[in-house]
Amino acid sequence: MICELHIEAGQREGKTYLQQAYCTRPFKVANIREDKTAPLLPLVIMSASPGMLEGDVYDWKITVHDGAQLQLQTQSYQRLFTMEQGAQQRIHVAVGAGAALHYLPHPTVPQAKSVFTGHTEIRLQANARLLWSEIVTCGRKLNGEIFAFTRYQNLTEVYWKNKLVLRDNLWLEPQRWPLSGMGQQEGFTHQASLFCFDEQADMNAHADALYHLFAADEQVAIGISRTAYHGLMLRILGEGGEQLKDKITRAAQLLADPKIVV
């Protein structure tokens, strides 16, 4: 089943508003803004489906027009059920000049024999700001399903002024190589990624701040990399979905406002 979600956010008189929203089953979009005068528009992407099933294709288009500020959240964990051929997700994102997009979804849970292929393309214009994360678990850990899925592949490409500045190809295939081994997840079962792009920010200072935020935490392993054109990437390895979601949230708060003490 092809499931579509299209969101457009615009800016008017210093405030972001939902310019257009279109979705097919199982999606709904909820506006959770409490302060009507706040410049940031927070939306929750809701789903009536328990997860992605065989043959599902999610097609998302997210547009943040010049000067607008959009924050997207998800309702719950994304589950990938047992499949033979697999499911797909395509996400196309455009962030206009001086606009901002924050997307921090719940973790994805690839259950036994699931197959997933995703492609995310993000295009940023001048002075655009982006916080984008992804969390992948090992499966239903408490049920004994640790790396029992068939394949999980998600390609993320970020373009800055139409130039490719980041290409992250996350490919997990437990039957081809042991994911818990050396050079893979080093004994950890969950991993998270956070991409940050901000033309006005000091990315070296951001990297130092993230290092000090997690340096004393022995429950996780982290890696921080600078990218081309004012970008930064954080990778975290851990043991639980909520654990990594909390750490990604803290990191995003720090990157959004370095003055916040977390």
Side-chain angles (χ1 to χ4, degrees), residues 95-117:
V95 185
L101 173 62
H102 294 183
Y103 178 59
L104 307 177
H106 284 78
T108 297
V109 182
Q111 296 183 188
K113 298 183 180 179
S114 61
V115 180
F116 174 82
T117 303

Side-chain angles (χ1 to χ4, degrees), residues 148-167:
F149 55 89
T150 301
R151 186 178 74 251
Y152 180 96
Q153 182 187 9
N154 194 24
L155 173 64
T156 302
E157 296 176 311
V158 179
Y159 293 81
W160 186 276
K161 301 177 184 177
N162 296 319
K163 181 175 182 178
L164 181 64
V165 294
L166 182 143
R167 192 174 194 267

Side-chain angles (χ1 to χ4, degrees), residues 70-135:
L70 178 63
Q71 180 185 69
L72 291 177
Q73 306 172 37
T74 52
Q75 180 185 16
S76 61
Y77 279 51
Q78 171 70 285
R79 299 191 180 277
L80 309 176
F81 289 99
T82 299
M83 311 171 193
E84 293 183 5
Q85 301 301 316
Q88 300 179 48
Q89 179 168 275
R90 303 187 294 256
I91 303 178
H92 299 273
V93 178
V95 185
L101 173 62
H102 294 183
Y103 178 59
L104 307 177
H106 284 78
T108 297
V109 182
Q111 296 183 188
K113 298 183 180 179
S114 61
V115 180
F116 174 82
T117 303
H119 183 200
T120 299
E121 180 183 284
I122 304 173
R123 293 187 175 270
L124 308 175
Q125 299 304 316
N127 293 315
R129 288 168 289 146
L130 174 73
L131 284 174
W132 188 278
S133 75
E134 175 184 15
I135 303 174

Side-chain angles (χ1 to χ4, degrees), residues 122 124-130 158-167 195-204 206 225-233:
I122 304 173
L124 308 175
Q125 299 304 316
N127 293 315
R129 288 168 289 146
L130 174 73
V158 179
Y159 293 81
W160 186 276
K161 301 177 184 177
N162 296 319
K163 181 175 182 178
L164 181 64
V165 294
L166 182 143
R167 192 174 194 267
F195 309 111
C196 174
F197 285 85
D198 189 341
E199 195 171 347
Q200 303 300 318
D202 184 342
M203 286 300 168
N204 288 327
H206 274 342
S225 302
R226 286 288 312 275
T227 74
Y229 285 81
H230 316 287
L232 179 148
M233 178 178 175

